[in-house]
Amino acid sequence: LVVLLIDVAIVFESVAARASQMAMPVAAFLSYYTLVILVFACLYRVAEMVLTPAQFRVNFELRSLSFAEALYVSVITMATVGYGDIVPEGALVRLLAAPEVICGVLLLLFGFSEIMRTRDAPRGEHPE
């Protein structure tokens, strides 16, 4: 039992060291991801306020979005989920959605690449 507890402690120590090494790139990735979502949510909301008629179809009804709904649309678009409950109808918001999808995919690719590069770096060293 003592040997098992020592082995478990060694494993947890290794996991904790790796987690602390990856904390910075993970935090940076989440910060950029959140920032892009917020920027596009604001752009959707501005498009709603400036353009008429309403730019989104919400549950088959053409109407304006609240900021919370614009944030939801941004998250769903960035994650490329597309539930279909809120759909861009106007040309401008459709043009905004396309670069958001591209940003989301590229951010995931580069973010995970950086996280994996940091993970594979020798202990105590940070990749350049």
Side-chain angles (χ1 to χ4, degrees):
L1 183 60
V2 172
V3 172
L4 175 64
L5 291 174
I6 291 172
D7 286 344
V8 169
I10 291 170
V11 168
F12 278 123
E13 185 179 69
S14 174
V15 168
R18 290 286 186 176
S20 67
Q21 187 178 14
M22 291 176 50
M24 185 64 79
V26 169
F29 167 75
L30 291 175
S31 296
Y32 282 122
Y33 205 77
T34 303
L35 180 65
V36 172
I37 286 172
L38 286 171
V39 165
F40 276 97
C42 289
L43 290 173
Y44 292 140
R45 192 67 187 108
V46 167
E48 276 288 323
M49 293 183 333
V50 171
L51 301 173
T52 55
Q55 298 297 302
F56 288 89
R57 188 170 300 279
V58 182
N59 294 325
F60 307 107
E61 175 188 345
L62 195 61
R63 69 173 179 82
S64 294
L65 295 181
S66 67
F67 182 74
E69 290 171 325
L71 191 59
Y72 169 77
V73 167
S74 186
V75 169
I76 296 307
T77 302
M78 183 88 149
T80 66
V81 174
Y83 289 128
D85 53 345
I86 302 178
V87 180
E89 287 288 323
L92 178 64
V93 291
R94 285 183 181 196
L95 284 173
L96 284 174
E100 185 177 14
V101 170
I102 293 168
C103 285
V105 171
L106 289 176
L107 190 57
L108 282 174
L109 289 172
F110 290 121
F112 286 141
S113 171
E114 180 62 25
I115 290 168
M116 296 307 288
R117 190 168 67 106
T118 301
R119 185 198 70 154
D120 294 336
R123 280 178 87 180
E125 287 185 26
H126 294 286
E128 298 179 34

